[in-house]
Amino acid sequence: MKSRNIATQLAAHGLILRGGFVFGVDDEAPIGPTGAPAKSVFLVGQAGAAPWPHFLEWRQRQPRRLDNPLDTWSRGVIDGVAASFGARAVYPSEKPYMPFQQWAMRAEGLKPSPLGILMHPEYGLWHAYRGALLFADEVLIQTPEKPIHLCSLCVGKPCLKSCPVDAYSADGFAYDACLAHVHGAVGEPCRSGGCLDRNACPFGVAYRYPPEVQAFHMASFAGLA
């Protein structure tokens, strides 16, 4: 099965398949590897910080100054997998932007948390989508059962009560307030250990990113890298 072979190749880099689907006749399918609209898509991502050691080993061989190193590493890995299986690779940070969150919700049946990150029944908020593989044919992948949306079971919603500047609320994400706090004198806990709201979530704690990984992502978000 193609999906199993792809998963094996990704596993060597700490990455996993995150589901997929066949585009329907009413979908605006992106261009596939042949120049015609793709027939199917597989999402590629991570659970927890599994790719981190592989990324660090690669990073040590790169120039000290490198823009978007994690995206660059991801492209190198996923482009190689795409070439091996006749697919076109696309990425969340690449223009024109692909609807990755909509694809993920369709592929894995997930729903957004109050923070906007999709809530996974096993990984909680500690997962990511690093790219996708577009195929010219209808490549099938096992469809997961409809997962429980853990946020609907969470009464206290600690993810909305831990940020000192209430960056997340029913009104959305207060980007400027968050950024100012992270850069400010009292923002060290966020700079060194990641988003306090995200860390307050009680689900998926076994997959929580280590502090150094969270610090890396926060530095990238806040322009501190």
mmCIF file of all heavy atoms in Angstrom, residues 193-214:
data_model
loop_
_atom_site.group_PDB
_atom_site.id
_atom_site.type_symbol
_atom_site.label_atom_id
_atom_site.label_comp_id
_atom_site.label_asym_id
_atom_site.label_seq_id
_atom_site.Cartn_x
_atom_site.Cartn_y
_atom_site.Cartn_z
ATOM 1 N N GLY A 193 9.463 29.300 27.593
ATOM 2 C CA GLY A 193 8.669 28.088 27.758
ATOM 3 C C GLY A 193 7.433 27.993 26.911
ATOM 4 O O GLY A 193 6.667 27.031 27.028
ATOM 5 N N GLY A 194 7.207 28.982 26.039
ATOM 6 C CA GLY A 194 6.078 28.908 25.130
ATOM 7 C C GLY A 194 4.812 29.553 25.663
ATOM 8 O O GLY A 194 4.769 30.099 26.771
ATOM 9 N N CYS A 195 3.771 29.465 24.868
ATOM 10 C CA CYS A 195 2.484 30.085 25.168
ATOM 11 C C CYS A 195 1.884 29.497 26.447
ATOM 12 O O CYS A 195 1.695 28.280 26.560
ATOM 13 C CB CYS A 195 1.537 29.868 23.991
ATOM 14 S SG CYS A 195 -0.167 30.370 24.294
ATOM 15 N N LEU A 196 1.563 30.362 27.400
ATOM 16 C CA LEU A 196 1.018 29.899 28.680
ATOM 17 C C LEU A 196 -0.379 29.309 28.512
ATOM 18 O O LEU A 196 -0.742 28.344 29.200
ATOM 19 C CB LEU A 196 0.993 31.051 29.683
ATOM 20 C CG LEU A 196 2.346 31.700 30.001
ATOM 21 C CD1 LEU A 196 2.179 32.783 31.065
ATOM 22 C CD2 LEU A 196 3.359 30.661 30.458
ATOM 23 N N ASP A 197 -1.166 29.873 27.630
ATOM 24 C CA ASP A 197 -2.502 29.325 27.384
ATOM 25 C C ASP A 197 -2.408 27.916 26.800
ATOM 26 O O ASP A 197 -3.131 27.003 27.218
ATOM 27 C CB ASP A 197 -3.279 30.228 26.427
ATOM 28 C CG ASP A 197 -3.991 31.370 27.139
ATOM 29 O OD1 ASP A 197 -4.100 31.322 28.376
ATOM 30 O OD2 ASP A 197 -4.442 32.307 26.448
ATOM 31 N N ARG A 198 -1.539 27.736 25.840
ATOM 32 C CA ARG A 198 -1.392 26.414 25.220
ATOM 33 C C ARG A 198 -0.895 25.392 26.240
ATOM 34 O O ARG A 198 -1.375 24.256 26.285
ATOM 35 C CB ARG A 198 -0.425 26.501 24.040
ATOM 36 C CG ARG A 198 -0.348 25.231 23.190
ATOM 37 C CD ARG A 198 0.568 25.448 21.994
ATOM 38 N NE ARG A 198 0.556 24.333 21.062
ATOM 39 C CZ ARG A 198 1.274 24.293 19.943
ATOM 40 N NH1 ARG A 198 2.047 25.324 19.622
ATOM 41 N NH2 ARG A 198 1.213 23.241 19.145
ATOM 42 N N ASN A 199 0.040 25.800 27.065
ATOM 43 C CA ASN A 199 0.573 24.888 28.077
ATOM 44 C C ASN A 199 -0.441 24.557 29.161
ATOM 45 O O ASN A 199 -0.291 23.549 29.862
ATOM 46 C CB ASN A 199 1.834 25.486 28.708
ATOM 47 C CG ASN A 199 3.082 25.224 27.881
ATOM 48 O OD1 ASN A 199 3.558 24.103 27.800
ATOM 49 N ND2 ASN A 199 3.605 26.265 27.247
ATOM 50 N N ALA A 200 -1.460 25.381 29.305
ATOM 51 C CA ALA A 200 -2.467 25.137 30.335
ATOM 52 C C ALA A 200 -3.466 24.061 29.930
ATOM 53 O O ALA A 200 -4.192 23.538 30.783
ATOM 54 C CB ALA A 200 -3.215 26.430 30.649
ATOM 55 N N CYS A 201 -3.502 23.714 28.656
ATOM 56 C CA CYS A 201 -4.445 22.692 28.194
ATOM 57 C C CYS A 201 -4.121 21.352 28.861
ATOM 58 O O CYS A 201 -2.965 20.915 28.854
ATOM 59 C CB CYS A 201 -4.377 22.559 26.679
ATOM 60 S SG CYS A 201 -5.429 21.230 26.025
ATOM 61 N N PRO A 202 -5.117 20.668 29.428
ATOM 62 C CA PRO A 202 -4.851 19.419 30.143
ATOM 63 C C PRO A 202 -4.738 18.183 29.248
ATOM 64 O O PRO A 202 -4.455 17.094 29.746
ATOM 65 C CB PRO A 202 -6.069 19.290 31.062
ATOM 66 C CG PRO A 202 -7.180 19.943 30.300
ATOM 67 C CD PRO A 202 -6.533 21.094 29.572
ATOM 68 N N PHE A 203 -4.924 18.344 27.946
ATOM 69 C CA PHE A 203 -4.950 17.187 27.057
ATOM 70 C C PHE A 203 -3.631 17.040 26.289
ATOM 71 O O PHE A 203 -2.971 18.021 25.965
ATOM 72 C CB PHE A 203 -6.109 17.296 26.066
ATOM 73 C CG PHE A 203 -7.455 17.437 26.727
ATOM 74 C CD1 PHE A 203 -8.214 18.587 26.568
ATOM 75 C CD2 PHE A 203 -7.947 16.424 27.534
ATOM 76 C CE1 PHE A 203 -9.449 18.719 27.184
ATOM 77 C CE2 PHE A 203 -9.180 16.541 28.159
ATOM 78 C CZ PHE A 203 -9.931 17.691 27.986
ATOM 79 N N GLY A 204 -3.278 15.786 26.016
ATOM 80 C CA GLY A 204 -2.093 15.513 25.209
ATOM 81 C C GLY A 204 -0.781 15.874 25.867
ATOM 82 O O GLY A 204 0.216 16.098 25.176
ATOM 83 N N VAL A 205 -0.745 15.901 27.198
ATOM 84 C CA VAL A 205 0.461 16.381 27.887
ATOM 85 C C VAL A 205 1.679 15.496 27.612
ATOM 86 O O VAL A 205 2.818 15.970 27.680
ATOM 87 C CB VAL A 205 0.219 16.504 29.404
ATOM 88 C CG1 VAL A 205 -0.791 17.597 29.693
ATOM 89 C CG2 VAL A 205 -0.251 15.178 29.999
ATOM 90 N N ALA A 206 1.464 14.237 27.283
ATOM 91 C CA ALA A 206 2.597 13.358 26.979
ATOM 92 C C ALA A 206 3.308 13.786 25.697
ATOM 93 O O ALA A 206 4.460 13.396 25.470
ATOM 94 C CB ALA A 206 2.127 11.909 26.844
ATOM 95 N N TYR A 207 2.624 14.588 24.874
ATOM 96 C CA TYR A 207 3.199 15.043 23.610
ATOM 97 C C TYR A 207 3.644 16.506 23.673
ATOM 98 O O TYR A 207 4.073 17.058 22.659
ATOM 99 C CB TYR A 207 2.179 14.879 22.482
ATOM 100 C CG TYR A 207 1.859 13.436 22.176
ATOM 101 C CD1 TYR A 207 0.816 12.781 22.832
ATOM 102 C CD2 TYR A 207 2.601 12.718 21.246
ATOM 103 C CE1 TYR A 207 0.522 11.450 22.560
ATOM 104 C CE2 TYR A 207 2.313 11.393 20.961
ATOM 105 C CZ TYR A 207 1.280 10.765 21.622
ATOM 106 O OH TYR A 207 0.997 9.444 21.350
ATOM 107 N N ARG A 208 3.541 17.120 24.843
ATOM 108 C CA ARG A 208 3.900 18.539 24.959
ATOM 109 C C ARG A 208 5.337 18.769 24.502
ATOM 110 O O ARG A 208 6.243 18.019 24.842
ATOM 111 C CB ARG A 208 3.742 19.010 26.405
ATOM 112 C CG ARG A 208 4.097 20.483 26.614
ATOM 113 C CD ARG A 208 3.894 20.874 28.067
ATOM 114 N NE ARG A 208 2.478 20.936 28.395
ATOM 115 C CZ ARG A 208 1.972 20.643 29.590
ATOM 116 N NH1 ARG A 208 2.767 20.219 30.563
ATOM 117 N NH2 ARG A 208 0.674 20.751 29.803
ATOM 118 N N TYR A 209 5.535 19.816 23.707
ATOM 119 C CA TYR A 209 6.879 20.127 23.232
ATOM 120 C C TYR A 209 7.776 20.487 24.412
ATOM 121 O O TYR A 209 7.345 21.229 25.312
ATOM 122 C CB TYR A 209 6.859 21.313 22.269
ATOM 123 C CG TYR A 209 6.037 21.142 21.013
ATOM 124 C CD1 TYR A 209 5.702 22.248 20.235
ATOM 125 C CD2 TYR A 209 5.598 19.893 20.583
ATOM 126 C CE1 TYR A 209 4.957 22.118 19.077
ATOM 127 C CE2 TYR A 209 4.850 19.755 19.424
ATOM 128 C CZ TYR A 209 4.525 20.877 18.681
ATOM 129 O OH TYR A 209 3.782 20.742 17.540
ATOM 130 N N PRO A 210 9.021 20.026 24.419
ATOM 131 C CA PRO A 210 9.965 20.444 25.464
ATOM 132 C C PRO A 210 10.169 21.959 25.428
ATOM 133 O O PRO A 210 9.941 22.601 24.389
ATOM 134 C CB PRO A 210 11.256 19.702 25.095
ATOM 135 C CG PRO A 210 10.821 18.565 24.241
ATOM 136 C CD PRO A 210 9.615 19.054 23.491
ATOM 137 N N PRO A 211 10.614 22.548 26.544
ATOM 138 C CA PRO A 211 10.778 24.007 26.590
ATOM 139 C C PRO A 211 11.640 24.568 25.468
ATOM 140 O O PRO A 211 11.335 25.639 24.925
ATOM 141 C CB PRO A 211 11.418 24.238 27.960
ATOM 142 C CG PRO A 211 10.932 23.098 28.793
ATOM 143 C CD PRO A 211 10.865 21.925 27.864
ATOM 144 N N GLU A 212 12.720 23.869 25.097
ATOM 145 C CA GLU A 212 13.588 24.416 24.053
ATOM 146 C C GLU A 212 12.889 24.462 22.696
ATOM 147 O O GLU A 212 13.140 25.360 21.880
ATOM 148 C CB GLU A 212 14.887 23.616 23.947
ATOM 149 C CG GLU A 212 14.728 22.162 23.523
ATOM 150 C CD GLU A 212 14.569 21.207 24.696
ATOM 151 O OE1 GLU A 212 14.127 21.661 25.784
ATOM 152 O OE2 GLU A 212 14.891 20.019 24.530
ATOM 153 N N VAL A 213 11.987 23.515 22.457
ATOM 154 C CA VAL A 213 11.230 23.525 21.207
ATOM 155 C C VAL A 213 10.208 24.660 21.227
ATOM 156 O O VAL A 213 10.037 25.388 20.238
ATOM 157 C CB VAL A 213 10.533 22.169 20.979
ATOM 158 C CG1 VAL A 213 9.720 22.190 19.693
ATOM 159 C CG2 VAL A 213 11.560 21.046 20.936
ATOM 160 N N GLN A 214 9.554 24.833 22.353
ATOM 161 C CA GLN A 214 8.590 25.923 22.463
ATOM 162 C C GLN A 214 9.280 27.278 22.355
ATOM 163 O O GLN A 214 8.747 28.214 21.747
ATOM 164 C CB GLN A 214 7.827 25.808 23.780
ATOM 165 C CG GLN A 214 6.968 24.553 23.872
ATOM 166 C CD GLN A 214 5.876 24.691 24.907
ATOM 167 O OE1 GLN A 214 5.122 25.657 24.899
ATOM 168 N NE2 GLN A 214 5.774 23.725 25.807
#
